[in-house]
Amino acid sequence: MNHIALKMLMGDTGKYIGIVMGLTFASLIMTQQPAIFVGLMSRSYSFISDVGLPDIWVMDAKVQFVDDIKPLQETELYRVRGISGVAWAMPMYKGLLKARLTDGTFQTCNVIGLDDATLIGGPPQMLEGTLEDLRRSDSVIVDIDGATDKLGKPSLLPGGKPTPLKLGDSLELNDRRAIVVGIAKVTRTFQSQPVVYTTYSRAKNYAPRERKLLSFVLVKAKPGQNPAELTRRIREATGLAAYTQAEFMELTYQYFMHNTGIPINFGISVLLGFIVGAAIAGQTFYNFTLENLRQFGVLKAMGTSNWVLLRMILLQAVLVGSIGYGLGVGLTALFGHAMRHTILAFKFPWQLLVFSGAGVSIICVFAALISIIKVIRLEPAIVFKG
Amino acid sequence: MTLAVHCKQLTKVYDTGGQKVTALNGIDLDISTGELMMLVGPSGCGKTTLISVIAGILDQDAGLCELFGENLLTMRSKDKLNFRARNIGFVFQAFNLLPSLNAAENVSIPLIINGTKRSVAERTAKTVLEQVGLGARWQSLPSQLSGGQQQRVAIARALVHNPRLIVCDEPTSALDHKTGNTVMALLKDVAMHKDRTLVIVTHDARIFNFADRMAEMDDGHIIKIQANTAPPPPHS
């Protein structure tokens, strides 16, 4: 009977394609918008995930997320270094500073100051120059997106694209000269500001005068030391907040989840997409069953049991669901691939595949159930009605 | 000849929006094996309801209906389905062929329902299609066949599993006179034998001569049962 079910499904090519397209659309809309949401949310902590070496981030106890800088006294660095289980602890400056471009305009930049000796906390990938070039005087490393766009030299033509910054170009940070010695690739951050790396001591010169300028202490646990246990000790000893990398990412993520309108806006969009997708796919599949009701009636009259009819409908639903799901997530993946070099935030983790798979399954099962109820209630005597 | 169908005081009442309509009102009818019985009468007289009850696809409200000695009303649902699948063949007014299945696949359905392997069922179906003169058209979809050919496929489908009872609902009403005669002749030639019973509902007077007996119905009653003494009409 499976063969008959498949033939019934695919017999009318137009209707078959219509059902598959409906489910493809549902699957697409259930993955594309959440993928943008996940991409956007992952940008909230991308700076943390880009800094690979340290196990633990130490900061002021009131810090709520990565960009919520509450500077520490430099002495805190030495206190942390003195805690048992700490292999090393390095300072990091993070702050928003205005860069003056060659045409006189200003651009806010995310300036990162790295430990002068070790340069720990540097960009994950250097495209031009080396991290060690930061040891040269007035040197900075700029991220490729900032160098190409916001920090680029204005085009000579009105409305033209800016000329990207290149090695040897200079800009001004708080009236101090900064020479570009490297171009780095970093993961885009939530605010998408240009990222400028320099040494910690130079960053303090660029930054406006303040009593406290230390943003974070980056800590590496000694081999065999449990990072979670070490964070507890650091908290107890210093009164500061100490998080593992994963905890700090989670803290930042939760801040954006609970204190911005992004989740609700995207949530509505995803929910609407799900409802519209479900309505289209469910309605199309249900209509397909209704149009075949007489055929099911004929099979029922001839002695086919409800259980076999149920299996046939489920098979049809599973088939169109699988094809629609595959096409939908495939289109989403293509969309993400096409947009990989743009500013659009897009991340397609496996959890999203499971989520959309579950969504499409719910739609198919729901549509199939409604159809099945109709078929089960079907009076086989319908076949004698002209 | 043994009794194929035995109906006693058969009653069926439909509830149409609070209004009771008595479709069968105390029907008494016996049909023997090897007999071609026609149920005739005006529209709405209860013919279709009667064959639906006889075929076990509709339950009566009162009275007795036995098929080959079995009371379908008291059977368990599963047993009733199996009984129907094994013992009854259907021919419908609107053919009711599955449009996306070719002729052989359509004909093989009753065998597949009865658990025959698809390859075996389709091979048998082709043989039966040859018997109804459509051996060469086994791959054709219903939409590629004429009305008469579709009804021949439907007859093949009703015969393929060798049922003991074939019920036909207005088998010629969608066909022209000549094709209708051909289909009826085929039905009588191929389907009828001493162990099989045909019950045909029709109001097509042109085919009355094919019947062994005719039960004339009106308003839920059988008002007359008469044997047909005239020979069946010649067919081309």
Side-chain angles (χ1 to χ4, degrees):
Chain A
M1 295 305 280
N2 292 347
H3 171 72
I4 294 172
L6 296 182
K7 280 251 178 175
M8 281 172 77
L9 178 67
M10 296 175 189
D12 189 330
T13 313
K15 278 180 202 159
Y16 172 60
I17 290 174
I19 301 170
V20 170
M21 285 297 111
L23 284 160
T24 300
F25 175 72
S27 173
L28 172 70
I29 214 159
M30 269 190 278
T31 46
Q32 191 250 15
Q33 286 294 304
I36 293 174
F37 172 66
V38 172
L40 203 57
M41 293 310 290
S42 69
R43 282 185 182 180
S44 67
Y45 54 75
S46 62
F47 176 72
I48 309 168
S49 54
D50 269 3
V51 180
L53 272 179
D55 297 321
I56 294 165
W57 292 62
V58 181
M59 65 208 76
D60 185 273
K62 298 289 182 196
V63 167
Q64 298 180 83
F65 61 104
V66 69
D67 295 317
D68 179 30
I69 303 298
K70 296 188 169 66
L72 311 168
Q73 285 185 348
E74 302 257 339
T75 51
E76 302 291 2
L77 174 64
Y78 306 111
R79 290 180 68 194
V80 173
R81 279 178 178 164
I83 294 167
S84 85
V86 172
W88 48 254
M90 301 299 166
M92 175 181 264
Y93 169 84
K94 185 174 186 294
L96 293 174
L97 299 180
K98 282 199 176 97
R100 188 165 186 268
L101 309 183
T102 48
D103 67 338
T105 57
F106 289 90
Q107 169 64 51
T108 305
C109 300
N110 212 344
V111 176
I112 312 298
L114 313 175
D115 175 59
D116 291 45
T118 61
L119 301 177
I120 280 172
Q125 187 189 354
M126 291 298 296
L127 299 175
E128 290 180 56
T130 63
L131 190 58
E132 286 70 30
D133 289 335
L134 278 185
R135 301 190 202 284
R136 287 154 57 182
S137 63
D138 299 334
S139 58
V140 292
I141 292 170
V142 181
D143 81 290
I144 181 72
D145 296 318
T148 313
D149 186 21
K150 289 177 177 164
L151 293 178
K153 287 178 252 179
S155 169
L156 298 174
L157 298 169
K161 280 188 172 178
T163 308
L165 277 183
K166 57 182 190 303
L167 300 191
D169 285 344
S170 63
L171 43 91
E172 278 181 26
L173 285 167
N174 201 11
D175 289 335
R176 289 171 192 275
R177 197 168 73 122
I179 299 168
V180 178
V181 296
I183 304 290
K185 174 84 182 156
V186 302
T187 310
R188 280 183 193 270
T189 59
F190 197 77
Q191 288 122 330
S192 295
Q193 282 144 343
V195 185
V196 177
Y197 288 91
T198 187
T199 59
Y200 182 71
S201 55
R202 207 174 294 133
K204 286 199 293 184
N205 288 334
Y206 290 141
R209 282 273 158 248
E210 280 187 66
R211 196 167 65 86
K212 296 188 278 186
L213 283 168
L214 178 62
S215 308
F216 301 107
V217 178
L218 307 180
V219 174
K220 184 74 177 174
K222 280 183 177 167
Q225 174 67 53
N226 179 0
E229 171 60 23
L230 185 54
T231 55
R232 188 188 59 77
R233 279 211 299 277
I234 294 171
R235 277 197 297 269
E236 282 176 4
T238 62
L240 301 172
Y243 302 108
T244 60
Q245 187 187 45
E247 285 170 347
F248 193 27
M249 283 159 64
E250 179 66 16
L251 180 81
T252 301
Y253 173 80
Q254 289 300 336
Y255 176 85
F256 278 87
M257 282 296 282
H258 293 117
N259 295 284
T260 68
I262 302 165
I264 185 81
N265 286 321
F266 266 93
I268 289 169
S269 162
V270 171
L271 185 69
L272 277 179
F274 183 84
I275 292 169
V276 170
I280 292 171
Q283 179 72 29
T284 321
F285 188 77
Y286 180 61
N287 279 350
F288 165 78
T289 310
L290 278 193
E291 284 164 16
N292 287 319
L293 213 52
R294 176 173 278 270
Q295 296 180 33
F296 285 117
V298 170
L299 294 174
K300 211 168 177 175
M302 287 178 177
T304 309
S305 66
N306 280 333
W307 168 241
V308 173
L309 294 176
L310 184 147
R311 248 180 35 207
M312 288 172 73
I313 292 172
L314 276 181
L315 174 69
Q316 291 171 337
V318 165
L319 185 78
V320 289
S322 306
I323 295 172
Y325 170 69
L327 287 174
V329 296
L331 284 175
T332 300
L334 271 180
F335 172 83
H337 186 71
M339 295 289 166
R340 68 193 184 282
H341 296 309
T342 67
I343 197 167
L344 184 87
F346 186 90
K347 200 168 184 181
F348 201 5
W350 64 267
Q351 290 91 337
L352 214 49
L353 284 173
V354 174
F355 164 76
S356 56
V360 170
S361 302
I362 289 170
I363 293 172
C364 288
V365 167
F366 186 66
L369 274 180
I370 298 176
S371 308
I372 286 163
I373 290 168
K374 196 88 183 165
V375 171
I376 285 175
R377 286 184 182 161
L378 177 70
E379 194 69 64
I382 185 182
V383 292
F384 283 136
K385 289 175 184 156
Chain B
M1 281 197 294
T2 55
L3 212 51
V5 178
H6 171 61
C7 297
K8 190 82 182 160
Q9 286 300 302
L10 209 54
T11 302
K12 177 72 187 175
V13 180
Y14 291 114
D15 190 347
T16 52
Q19 199 180 358
K20 305 271 187 200
V21 176
T22 306
L24 301 178
N25 195 354
I27 296 281
D28 291 331
L29 180 67
D30 287 338
I31 307 170
S32 303
T33 53
E35 188 177 21
L36 196 161
M37 167 68 83
M38 279 191 189
L39 303 176
V40 301
S43 293
C45 68
K47 308 184 294 287
T48 300
T49 302
L50 182 55
I51 55 159
S52 298
V53 173
I54 290 171
I57 56 175
L58 188 68
D59 290 338
Q60 70 270 33
D61 295 321
L64 174 73
C65 181
E66 284 180 347
L67 203 56
F68 306 106
E70 301 275 358
N71 183 353
L72 295 184
L73 192 65
T74 56
M75 264 188 194
R76 287 190 316 159
S77 175
K78 194 181 168 189
D79 295 335
K80 197 177 184 176
L81 278 174
N82 288 337
F83 185 87
R84 219 158 63 205
R86 280 197 312 272
N87 294 296
I88 303 174
F90 292 89
V91 178
F92 307 104
Q93 177 182 1
F95 321 134
N96 284 340
L97 301 174
L98 272 60
S100 47
L101 269 56
N102 67 32
E105 288 167 335
N106 262 296
V107 173
S108 67
I109 290 173
L111 291 173
I112 292 170
I113 292 172
N114 279 304
T116 310
K117 269 178 70 179
R118 186 157 67 92
S119 54
V120 178
E122 285 183 16
R123 211 165 39 241
T124 312
K126 285 174 198 168
T127 313
V128 182
L129 276 171
E130 276 168 19
Q131 286 177 32
V132 298
L134 286 174
R137 302 298 304 271
W138 67 270
Q139 280 183 304
S140 302
L141 292 171
S143 58
Q144 296 165 326
L145 299 171
S146 68
Q149 287 172 326
Q150 287 190 54
Q151 197 58 300
R152 279 149 71 186
V153 173
I155 290 168
R157 183 176 64 181
L159 289 170
V160 73
H161 55 308
N162 202 20
R164 288 197 281 170
L165 172 72
I166 295 178
V167 290
C168 311
D169 182 39
E170 306 279 6
T172 58
S173 68
L175 307 173
D176 60 58
H177 177 58
K178 190 179 162 193
T179 314
N181 262 352
T182 311
V183 163
M184 277 308 300
L186 178 77
L187 199 55
K188 188 143 189 174
D189 288 350
V190 180
M192 283 310 299
H193 59 71
K194 64 180 178 56
D195 296 323
R196 185 176 287 148
T197 306
L198 253 75
V199 182
I200 297 176
V201 161
T202 185
H203 59 253
D204 183 356
R206 299 168 302 184
I207 64 165
F208 286 174
N209 282 350
F210 285 94
D212 293 325
R213 282 196 304 156
M214 280 193 296
E216 193 177 336
M217 293 183 69
D218 195 17
D219 205 16
H221 296 90
I222 290 179
I223 53 172
K224 188 166 64 178
I225 297 178
Q226 62 181 32
N228 179 30
T229 49
H235 61 275
S236 52

